Amino acid sequence: MTDDMKGSLNKVNKRTNPFKIFLAFFFSTIICIVLTLLGIIWVMEKGPSKTATAKFCQSVRETSAIQWISGIFLSEEELEQYKSLNTENTDTQAVNTSLIRIASSDAEIPQEGENQPVELIDIAEGSVKGKLLIVHDPKQVMLGISGTFASEPGLQLTEIVKKYNGIAGINAGGFNDEGGSGDGGTPQGLVIYEGDIVWGNESASYNLIGIDSEGILHVGTMSGKDALDRNIIWAVSFVTHDGLASSLIINGEVQTQNFGSGVNPRTAIGQRSDGALILLVLDGRSISTLGATIEDVCSIMLEYGAVNAGNLDGGSSSVMVYEDEIINNCASVTGPRRIPTAFIVLGDDQL
């Protein structure tokens, strides 16, 4: 074979190098995906529908990891009109405890076929899907904590429920999660555990979700001292990244000032007039459901009789555990997140 022929074959081999073809295909695919996503974001942010733009911006601004997306094609001035109303420091009325009538501890235990102490309900209302747990004796619900805050990572919900030998549980308060990479070990706001403030301080004001020694749920803005004066023994705080406070329903009145949310996975806790606690987790960020708004959460709480209700941490933290298993669709692509606090449902034998 002549040198000219060998040179021609080498040129052909170089032109048809499989690795180079793969790289070209790979990077071309990535570029197409990025351009497609940017096109979708542009349509959502700059498209003709102001309603769609508002929902999109509010949804991503409620997240830790991707809230920056809302500013790709919109200036800060433009984003301001889509920002949820910040009610973090707004005073709220106190929960009227006389509206809650908790059955005495010596009341007859429901028999088989009657209302059981814990009821699990599937939620499927339009595009909103999730799980709802009704705990008839509110004293079966306590706050679980991951451990020593700030000095060690949080625990997954399954681990916290197991730590307290619970039969069920939901994630509770917010935590430091800069860029969506927090380890779940540092709570935000106030945490009251067994009647003591273990995070936060007495003088500061917080958006609180707590349970007192009688099993009555309290929601609203109060200081740590106010909470202790109301004999609250379990409490957490939560405010969305876009500033929406945790109060959903107080004394039967929906707190509409906290509307204007996006569509995301949600976790909430409420209480009926008979004292039963309602634990709600709604899925999102999936093909079957994008999630729920704050209005959706309030609607479900009212449907199931809530007199008071509070919004807990949502998004990829929204998880419900029942009988040692995660029973909702966790939105986190890396699996259940580490969290600092959880509301735990104890078994009858632990009361």
Side-chain angles (χ1 to χ4, degrees):
M1 184 179 293
T2 65
D3 290 341
D4 289 342
M5 292 176 66
K6 290 179 180 179
S8 297
L9 286 174
N10 287 335
K11 289 179 181 179
V12 171
N13 288 336
K14 288 179 181 178
R15 286 198 299 268
T16 59
N17 187 308
F19 181 67
K20 289 184 177 180
I21 293 174
F22 169 77
L23 285 180
F25 175 77
F26 175 78
F27 285 113
S28 297
T29 302
I30 293 298
I31 291 171
C32 287
I33 292 173
V34 171
L35 291 176
T36 299
L37 290 175
L38 286 174
I40 293 172
I41 293 171
W42 187 91
V43 170
M44 296 303 296
E45 295 185 359
K46 290 292 192 177
S49 173
K50 294 295 184 182
T51 301
T53 300
K55 283 301 176 189
F56 176 79
C57 291
Q58 289 164 351
S59 296
V60 297
R61 285 169 71 97
E62 288 178 349
T63 70
S64 300
I66 62 170
Q67 53 185 294
W68 54 271
I69 287 178
S70 61
I72 291 180
F73 297 110
L74 295 174
S75 66
E76 281 299 321
E77 292 74 17
E78 290 174 311
L79 281 174
E80 199 62 31
Q81 63 182 309
Y82 302 120
K83 186 176 181 181
S84 301
L85 182 63
N86 188 328
T87 61
E88 182 175 358
N89 297 313
T90 299
D91 291 334
T92 57
Q93 59 179 311
V95 164
N96 183 354
T97 57
S98 67
L99 297 177
I100 309 299
R101 300 289 185 180
I102 298 175
S104 62
S105 58
D106 58 355
E108 185 178 349
I109 299 175
Q111 300 299 312
E112 186 175 355
E114 300 178 359
N115 289 333
Q116 295 301 302
V118 176
E119 295 180 63
L120 180 62
I121 299 170
D122 287 321
I123 299 297
E125 302 186 4
S127 62
V128 177
K129 303 179 188 304
K131 301 290 183 180
L132 183 145
L133 201 63
I134 299 177
V135 185
H136 290 272
D137 183 353
K139 292 188 179 180
Q140 279 186 253
V141 178
M142 65 169 291
L143 184 72
I145 59 176
S146 59
T148 304
F149 297 143
S151 64
E152 57 187 9
L155 298 175
Q156 292 183 347
L157 178 60
T158 49
E159 296 173 313
I160 300 180
V161 173
K162 185 176 181 180
K163 175 181 176 180
Y164 292 92
N165 296 314
I167 60 173
I170 59 173
N171 63 292
F175 56 93
N176 291 351
D177 191 30
E178 189 67 32
S181 59
D183 66 3
T186 305
Q188 289 181 337
L190 187 76
V191 178
I192 297 177
Y193 179 74
E194 293 184 329
D196 294 319
I197 295 176
V198 295
W199 192 262
N201 61 73
E202 287 193 8
S203 58
S205 184
Y206 303 94
N207 294 119
L208 212 66
I209 309 100
I211 302 173
D212 68 22
S213 60
E214 299 300 317
I216 295 177
L217 179 70
H218 294 253
V219 296
T221 303
M222 66 190 83
S223 68
K225 184 179 184 306
D226 290 335
L228 295 180
D229 288 345
R230 296 175 193 181
N231 209 19
I232 292 175
I233 59 174
W234 317 109
V236 295
S237 300
F238 179 65
V239 176
T240 70
H241 293 287
D242 207 18
L244 290 176
S246 56
S247 305
L248 299 178
I249 303 169
I250 299 178
N251 302 329
E253 297 181 9
V254 176
Q255 306 299 293
T256 55
Q257 75 270 21
N258 290 328
F259 283 6
S261 69
V263 178
N264 277 299
R266 304 284 179 187
T267 302
I269 183 170
Q271 188 167 44
R272 303 189 318 202
S273 60
D274 64 357
L277 287 174
I278 303 168
L279 311 184
L280 176 66
V281 172
L282 299 176
D283 298 332
R285 301 176 189 171
S286 67
I287 296 175
S288 62
T289 174
L290 293 177
T293 64
I294 295 296
E295 294 97 318
D296 292 326
V297 177
C298 288
S299 177
I300 293 170
M301 282 291 178
L302 290 173
E303 179 183 348
Y304 285 89
V307 175
N308 299 296
N311 188 41
L312 298 168
D313 194 9
S316 55
S317 299
S318 287
V319 177
M320 179 180 287
V321 167
Y322 185 72
E323 295 182 345
D324 300 324
E325 293 185 2
I326 295 173
I327 60 172
N328 73 300
N329 294 319
C330 177
S332 174
V333 296
T334 58
R337 300 205 62 187
R338 293 178 177 271
I339 56 177
T341 56
F343 281 115
I344 307 297
V345 182
L346 303 175
D348 293 336
D349 57 344
Q350 295 174 270
L351 298 180

